[in-house]
Amino acid sequence: MKDKPCTLTLEDGTRYDLTQLASAKADYVTNVGDITYVFNVCRRVVSEVYRIEEPENVGAFMRDGYADFSLGEVNTTLTLSPMTDDPMIIMTDGSICPGNPGQTASTAIRFVCSQSDFNADKPIFITSLPPQDPCQFYFEWNTHLACRPGRKSPTRPTFPKGELDTHHYYFAFAVFLVIVLLTWFGGLTLYNRLYLKRRGLSQFPLPTFDYQSISIPSRNSNEQPGPNWDPSRRRSNRSGGYGHVRAEGHDGEERFAARYSLEEERD
């Protein structure tokens, strides 16, 4: 039996119903610094959006200054978190990513069991990826609607950004990585099949390996040899130079002695 919109029934009979969070009067707003995140659940947002294509399908958006950025279109299908078994909504096909024109924004909201939160409350911003020009967003929402019968609230509450447990970041990264890989794989497959007319395995973006031989240059036999440093030649050169100086000194002494003897004869 197919689940109704915004509900999820598990094999053990547990049923999640988040229709109470859908609001036709006002949206849910979360502020993080100068950025405002606006949400609704299982329906389009009530707030007016600016500079967003197909505003009637926007399930959440981000407002930074005077421009709005769609975080994803409305999704009424609940999924189960693979790590915590909590109900989750994933919204895709948002605005075009500023750092990657071939990809659109997506958002994952995990609803966490909290017996004390009987009001609608609002989502808590967890993280966004990549750090520069983010395009994938992750939020958590504390609500009693995410509690199973007989299931207690988590022993440790969900913390805001800056005080999160490490596994929250791992889970967020894993969810967005799966979304990015599926989008990339499906897009390239359609491109190869419809535009390039490929069939069979060639239509899938599978990696190929090309092992190229690496050649190591050998020493050239015609290479000019380096200078021949012969120590005997250097010693001979040095001795020849100094010998010339000594020879000049000896001739000077003989000329001086001859001159001295001539002066004595004149006297």
Side-chain angles (χ1 to χ4, degrees):
M1 181 178 179
K2 186 177 180 180
D3 291 323
K4 295 181 179 180
C6 215
T7 64
L8 177 64
T9 303
L10 305 183
E11 295 180 355
D12 60 0
T14 301
R15 186 172 184 269
Y16 295 109
D17 188 352
L18 302 182
T19 55
Q20 298 181 30
L21 297 178
S23 175
K25 297 181 179 180
D27 296 319
Y28 304 97
V29 179
T30 298
N31 294 311
V32 180
D34 297 332
I35 301 177
T36 300
Y37 297 95
V38 182
F39 302 85
N40 216 311
V41 180
C42 296
R43 57 155 293 142
R44 59 156 296 182
V45 294
V46 180
S47 304
E48 184 178 0
V49 296
Y50 304 97
R51 301 179 182 179
I52 294 181
E53 297 181 0
E54 300 181 1
E56 66 278 2
N57 297 328
V58 176
F61 68 93
M62 175 181 66
R63 176 165 293 171
D64 185 6
Y66 298 98
D68 293 343
F69 184 85
S70 175
L71 302 181
E73 294 184 350
V74 178
N75 184 16
T76 60
T77 302
L78 299 184
T79 58
L80 201 63
S81 171
M83 297 181 62
T84 59
D85 291 337
D86 293 321
M88 184 170 61
I89 290 180
I90 298 178
M91 294 180 287
T92 59
D93 297 328
S95 296
I96 297 176
C97 299
N100 185 3
Q103 186 179 354
T104 56
S106 59
T107 300
I109 304 176
R110 183 169 72 100
F111 297 89
V112 182
C113 172
S114 178
Q115 297 285 1
S116 60
D117 291 322
F118 285 89
N119 296 324
D121 203 10
K122 59 183 179 180
I124 299 174
F125 175 77
I126 301 300
T127 187
S128 59
L129 299 172
Q132 298 294 334
D133 297 328
C135 204
Q136 288 82 38
F137 303 85
Y138 180 71
F139 294 83
E140 288 185 353
W141 198 323
N142 294 330
T143 175
H144 71 285
L145 298 175
C147 297
R148 297 186 186 184
R151 181 181 179 182
K152 297 181 180 180
S153 301
T155 55
R156 290 182 297 176
T158 302
F159 298 98
K161 185 180 180 182
E163 302 178 3
L164 295 173
D165 292 337
T166 304
H167 74 276
H168 288 149
Y169 289 104
Y170 292 154
F171 175 76
F173 179 77
V175 170
F176 291 126
L177 183 61
V178 170
I179 295 174
V180 171
L181 289 178
L182 290 178
T183 303
W184 171 80
F185 188 86
L188 286 183
T189 301
L190 292 176
Y191 176 81
N192 292 336
R193 182 176 180 84
L194 300 179
Y195 184 77
L196 300 180
K197 305 299 182 181
R198 295 180 179 178
R199 295 295 184 269
L201 293 178
S202 61
Q203 66 181 319
F204 300 110
L206 301 177
T208 57
F209 301 94
D210 184 13
Y211 298 96
Q212 299 180 354
S213 59
I214 302 176
S215 59
I216 301 176
S218 59
R219 184 180 180 87
N220 189 359
S221 59
N222 297 326
E223 184 179 358
Q224 295 295 333
N228 184 12
W229 303 103
D230 189 354
S232 61
R233 293 178 59 185
R234 288 190 294 174
R235 286 196 298 268
S236 62
N237 291 337
R238 287 198 300 266
S239 61
Y242 287 108
H244 177 68
V245 174
R246 287 195 298 270
E248 290 181 353
H250 182 69
D251 294 341
E253 291 177 357
E254 291 180 351
R255 288 195 298 269
F256 179 78
R259 181 179 179 183
Y260 183 78
S261 61
L262 291 175
E263 290 180 353
E264 288 181 349
E265 291 177 358
R266 291 177 182 177
D267 293 340

